[in-house]
Amino acid sequence: MLEKVYEIFHEKMKDKGQGMGIGSALTSEFLMIAFLIIGTILALRTANSTILAFGAIIILAAILFTVPTVFKVEKENNDSINLSSFYVALTLALLFIIFLGGI
Amino acid sequence: MLNNSTLIPLMVVLPLIMAILVNFLHQKDKSVKFISIVSLIVFVIVPVVTLYGVHLFSGHLRTGSFPEISKMLIPEVYMGIVYSYGTLQKILMLVLTIITGFSVLTVINKKMISGVYVAMIFISLASTSAIMLADDIFNFFVFTEFLVVAQAALVIAVQETKSFKAAFKYMIFGTISGASILLGIALLLGSYGLLNITDLSNAIAAGGQLNSIGLSAVALLTLGWLYESGLFPFHIIKSNMYENAKPEISALLQVQSKFVLVAMAIILFRVFSGYALLKSVMLGFAIFTVVIGSVMALQQIELRKLLSYVAVSQAGLVAVGLGLGTSFGIAAGIFHAVNDVLSMAILFFVASFVYDKFKTTNLDQLREGLHIAPLVGFVMLLATLAISGVPPFNSYQSEWRLIQAATQAGLPELGILVILLSVATFVAIIKAFYMIFMRPGPEVEVNTEVRGTMTKAIIVILIIACLGIGLFPNVVYDPIYNFVLSLGV
Amino acid sequence: MDPFQVGSFLTAGILVVTGLWALLMMDNILKKIIGANLIGDGVNLVLISIGYRPGGFIPEVMHHFHATATPSDYSYLLEFGEFASNASYSLPFALVLTNIVIGASTLSVMLALAVVLYHKYHTLSVQKMFEGDE
Amino acid sequence: MFDYILLFAVALSALMAIIQENLYKSIIILTFESFSLAAIFHFLLATDVAAVQAILGAALLPGLFIVALYKTTKGRDE
């Protein structure tokens, strides 16, 4: 299993250094997965256990389908000004929805 | 507590005066050098000798109650700016002035001295101290704008295309955040008629439930907070700034943004005390920043970029402590800010040394550095241990308190996340350490003229400070905890 | 509220939204800076509208009140209470003056950066500047 | 009545300044917007702010923009 994952990362990171690079990419991959699981538990624990169970299953499925997530995260965090603008607009809207909508 | 301390405004006024003075002395390098060293000594001394208290500019102490809500009659409005100076401000001011001093000394030592450059450093110092001291919400806004321009100017001074781009992005989004902070202030002024933070907090607490105007103000000010501290949507912009400044200036910039984070979060907590949703939202953004920052740091193969993302993710960790909202959590977050600023400054000074010595910070081109600079390598290893929370050092104390506070606040999952993040930070920086100092390979080109005595002295002093705080944490932590308790948020 | 005040708030809202749209969506670097200027104008208009008092008078220009004046000595001066209930609220004006100056300085720095970036890339398009090769 | 027309003019010229393709025209419209805003400030009983806004909006701001535009379009022609 792990060898397979290593192969995938090896394929994806041909131009970005090997060995330690892949090691750190794997670390960040595990960190992302841990964050997604812990975030789901944190967000849904307050609701109720049925929602928690379903939400956890959905998130696990999502993780299985999106692995490796690291490269997607990296793609979303480039230096482009347009992407930052999009996220700023999104955040502004989100803040107003949260505070004025009273979620 | 309420003595009118005259020395307090000197912390803001002196740097501004000195900035104007060294700005006039452009190209007279010797006098700039002399004046900067003398004024730096004064800047460090002033916070030490100042008494705790408040300073009232052209004002008088309010007696009795605050004015009625929504009634903007002139005689009832309490005009005049108030600066307050307590134990927390003293600790933060000391750390800020000392690291500013180290940055300026490095700049002088590198013969890059220029009047305008030092002036910009002094203006950013003055703005940060004003943000920490001000008890007036508009004064706070004015100095955030100053800080944005001064920091952008420090990055522009590098004169590379990438730094121009970073500064332009920083200023574009600075306009948005500045406008949103001012709009939030305007909404508060319109509905309560007050600018003084203490009065405003009393008025809002007496008004009960926030109405929709107040809630809009919360949203706008939160956006401003996210920008000033470089959290989630602005983390790329902030890390771009750190990356494209000279490393010794990045050491200063990260101190400023972390302290502004703490100061503005305290202002928000005081103004909207009792509004729990604000803290949850802060916590959410903080967690997201921490994770994204670490993940991005692990991917980098350029030392300065790596350290920038680590700095951003550590700022998120500070915000996690503040977002927990209990007094224990807030104190732990502020304590982590102080600790983290010290160890992060060591790493940035090491990056500065590496940049001068090897003429590059690209990790792929560096190897076998331990023969050339054994002391720097050793201190970088210690700083790596310090920043990832290994026991004898200071971050261990604060991260341990953060985990404890998370558990006490009923969120033990956060404790797990904090542990994972310190592991990730350790992996990211130890990778850089290995590649610079340990990796075998052919010799790299070395600039023999650079001896870096000043940088070595600075990093040794800072690592000793880290060790000292780690061994005697209560010297720093207890005053912070008492201050947070006295805030009553 | 006075209808003129409501109109000012609406205009300020239009200014802020227009500026935000230009700042976030426009590709031209000078249009972005124009957007930044419009946002600042909108916020200033909000602040000034807060201080407006329908049918009141201007506190700075008409010297109806002086700090040391008493009604018996200066019969043409208003009493403090009358002044305070008729003059527009002047605290926001001070804030707006500060903000105008800060906005102008920020704007000039941004314009200078735009010029420098133009000389590096020979284009005004932000897209090409920020996604071109280093 | 005139003050309401000014409000409308400010909103419209802000939109026009953004939509306008020609940057020179855009800057002229922006100057008009700044100046009308100064007039609105006068109607909102803030004369001192109106004076500052009129000076900045009518002289400094278009001057800076025109200089920047001149520097950039001249570079394109070379």
Side-chain angles (χ1 to χ4, degrees), chain A residues 79-82 85 88-89 92, chain C residues 20 23-24 32 126-127 130-131:
Chain A
D79 293 351
S80 152
I81 193 168
N82 288 352
S85 303
V88 171
L92 191 57
Chain C
L20 207 58
L23 201 54
L24 294 178
K32 271 189 195 295
V126 174
Q127 180 87 22
F130 280 83
E131 277 164 17

Side-chain angles (χ1 to χ4, degrees), chain B residues 146-280:
Chain B
F146 279 15
L147 189 62
V148 169
V149 176
Q151 289 184 339
L154 283 174
V155 175
I156 290 168
V158 179
Q159 300 279 336
E160 283 168 7
T161 316
K162 280 182 80 180
S163 63
F164 289 136
K165 288 199 304 195
F168 184 74
K169 269 203 293 189
Y170 193 63
M171 293 203 69
I172 281 283
F173 290 108
T175 319
I176 295 179
S177 87
S180 78
I181 294 177
L182 187 60
L183 206 53
I185 292 171
L187 294 179
L188 287 179
L189 179 71
S191 40
Y192 297 97
L194 293 166
L195 287 176
N196 186 293
I197 291 169
T198 314
D199 291 350
L200 200 56
S201 137
N202 287 334
I204 291 176
Q209 202 82 30
L210 285 167
N211 55 4
S212 57
I213 295 175
L215 292 174
S216 313
V218 179
L220 291 166
L221 287 172
T222 311
L223 188 76
W225 178 72
L226 292 175
Y227 171 82
E228 299 296 337
S229 42
L231 296 189
F232 162 62
F234 302 105
H235 60 294
I236 306 168
I237 298 150
K238 205 74 177 180
S239 73
N240 260 335
M241 287 286 284
Y242 295 154
E243 175 199 342
N244 290 311
K246 293 260 183 241
E248 63 270 9
I249 297 299
S250 312
L252 183 60
L253 294 184
Q254 55 101 13
V255 179
Q256 287 165 353
S257 48
K258 264 166 219 159
F259 285 179
V260 170
L261 185 160
V262 169
M264 193 168 170
I266 288 175
I267 289 174
L268 285 179
F269 287 164
R270 283 177 62 196
V271 172
F272 305 107
S273 59
Y275 185 55
L277 188 58
L278 172 65
K279 286 165 185 164
S280 319

Side-chain angles (χ1 to χ4, degrees), chain C residues 4-5 8-9 12 44-53, chain D residues 44:
Chain C
F4 186 50
Q5 204 171 3
S8 317
F9 280 130
N44 289 346
L45 191 52
V46 170
L47 270 165
I48 294 284
S49 311
I50 286 170
Y52 178 61
R53 196 188 291 268
Chain D
L44 286 168

Side-chain angles (χ1 to χ4, degrees), chain C residues 3-4 7 11 15 18 22 26 28 30-31 34 37-38 41 45 52-53 58 60 88 93 96-97 100 118, chain D residues 3-4 7 14 17-18 20 23 26 30 33 37 41 44-49 52-53 56 61 69 72 76:
Chain C
F4 186 50
T11 314
L15 282 178
T18 317
M26 285 266 168
N28 191 314
L30 288 177
K31 283 280 174 68
I34 290 174
N37 185 39
L38 288 180
D41 282 351
L45 191 52
Y52 178 61
R53 196 188 291 268
I58 304 160
E60 285 86 359
S88 58
F93 302 169
V96 170
L97 281 180
I100 286 175
Y118 179 82
Chain D
D3 40 5
Y4 289 96
L7 283 179
I18 295 302
Q20 183 58 253
L23 284 168
S26 176
L30 192 71
E33 185 261 353
L37 199 66
F41 286 168
L44 286 168
L45 305 178
T47 313
D48 49 343
V49 183
V52 174
Q53 173 74 28
L56 275 169
L61 192 141
L69 197 56
T72 48
R76 188 187 286 155

Side-chain angles (χ1 to χ4, degrees), chain A residues 16 20 24 28 31 34-35 38 41-42 45 70 74 77-79 81 85 88 91-92 95 99-100 103, chain B residues 169 212 215 219 223 233-236 275 277 285 287-288 291-292 296 298-299 410-411 413 420 431 434:
Chain A
K16 285 197 67 182
M20 289 198 84
S24 54
S28 47
L31 184 67
F35 161 66
I38 289 174
I41 294 173
L42 257 182
R45 188 166 57 109
V70 182
E74 204 180 357
N77 282 278
N78 60 16
D79 293 351
I81 193 168
S85 303
V88 171
T91 310
L92 191 57
L95 283 173
F99 285 121
L100 287 177
I103 294 166
Chain B
K169 269 203 293 189
S212 57
L215 292 174
L223 188 76
F234 302 105
H235 60 294
I236 306 168
Y275 185 55
L277 188 58
F285 277 103
I287 295 170
F288 211 69
V291 173
I292 300 282
M296 290 302 288
L298 280 163
Q299 305 295 314
L411 306 168
E413 297 94 335
L420 283 174
K431 180 183 102 180
Y434 171 80

